[in-house]
Amino acid sequence: MSFLTPLAVATRAISIAALCFAAVVALTFWLVRTGRLTPFGAWPRLVRQVADPILRPLESRLTRAGRNPQDAPLWLFGFTVLGGLLLIAVVDWLIGFWFRAQMAAGSGAGGIAVFLINGIVGLLIAALIIRVVASWFGIGAYNRQFRPIILLTEWLVAPIRRVLPPMGMIDFSPLVAWLALVLLRSVLLRLFR
């Protein structure tokens, strides 16, 4: 239990260190690209030498996608920002989950029931959000990696969609499903409190 707080601190430190590294790489490459630094100087060569193992695969992937490989440092910076935020969020969620599980275990059967209700409804709401956001990017039910999200949500969304069909391009069934889950959670939590 005492390792959890240092874990959160370490996660933030790693994320900040990675962000600083990516910022230095992106700034150095930008300075070289705009002619403010010579590419043959000691600093740009050192940065390129250190960053090459990370940038080479990113550059080849950008080239295959038809993008400019010189933008790899900017993509590295963006991925570092998003990856750091995601890592911090996941670690904080796991720490919170751990503490809530311990509190529920100490509260008896009612506490465990409340913990399970909150956990299951939270998982279903997260799956609904992922489903909606994925639909904005054209990821549909036939995508193999997307199947677990569909399995988690279709049992609730499909009956609502039969009653409330999509209006043009807008499908309100996930919103109604979310409201139904929130109401169900509040009713079930009142039973156990």
Side-chain angles (χ1 to χ4, degrees):
M1 186 167 141
S2 62
F3 73 93
L4 294 175
T5 304
L7 178 64
V9 172
T11 302
R12 283 163 174 71
I14 290 169
S15 298
I16 290 171
L19 181 63
C20 289
F21 171 76
V24 166
V25 169
L27 180 63
T28 303
F29 274 72
W30 177 77
L31 289 171
V32 168
R33 204 168 164 184
T34 58
R36 292 183 174 96
L37 274 178
T38 176
F40 305 108
W43 179 253
R45 285 187 311 156
L46 174 68
V47 170
R48 182 66 193 201
Q49 183 180 2
V50 170
D52 245 3
I54 300 168
L55 290 178
R56 271 212 186 116
L58 191 55
E59 288 170 347
S60 65
R61 191 167 272 218
L62 287 172
T63 303
R64 283 193 306 266
R67 306 240 185 236
N68 189 351
Q70 289 182 342
D71 292 336
L74 293 175
W75 282 93
L76 175 66
F77 182 75
F79 287 142
T80 305
V81 169
L82 292 176
L85 291 173
L86 183 63
L87 179 66
I88 289 169
V90 166
V91 168
D92 285 352
W93 181 83
L94 287 172
I95 290 170
F97 180 82
W98 176 260
F99 282 127
R100 286 190 301 274
Q102 282 186 331
M103 288 175 50
S107 300
I112 293 173
V114 167
F115 175 75
L116 289 175
I117 290 168
N118 281 326
I120 292 169
V121 171
L123 175 68
L124 292 173
I125 288 174
L128 278 171
I129 292 170
I130 292 170
R131 180 178 178 154
V132 168
V133 171
S135 72
W136 297 343
F137 295 103
I139 300 172
Y142 300 107
N143 189 327
R144 191 171 55 98
Q145 290 85 10
F146 197 60
R147 289 283 171 142
I149 301 296
I150 297 297
L151 289 173
L152 277 173
T153 58
E154 190 64 21
W155 65 271
L156 183 59
V157 173
I160 296 170
R161 191 175 290 132
R162 281 192 290 269
V163 174
L164 180 71
M167 297 177 191
M169 291 180 62
I170 301 174
D171 185 9
F172 288 106
S173 57
L175 177 63
V176 174
W178 174 73
L179 290 171
L181 285 172
V182 169
L183 284 171
L184 177 66
R185 176 172 53 189
S186 67
V187 167
L188 290 174
L189 289 178
R190 285 184 189 195
L191 293 174
F192 287 103
R193 288 190 180 173

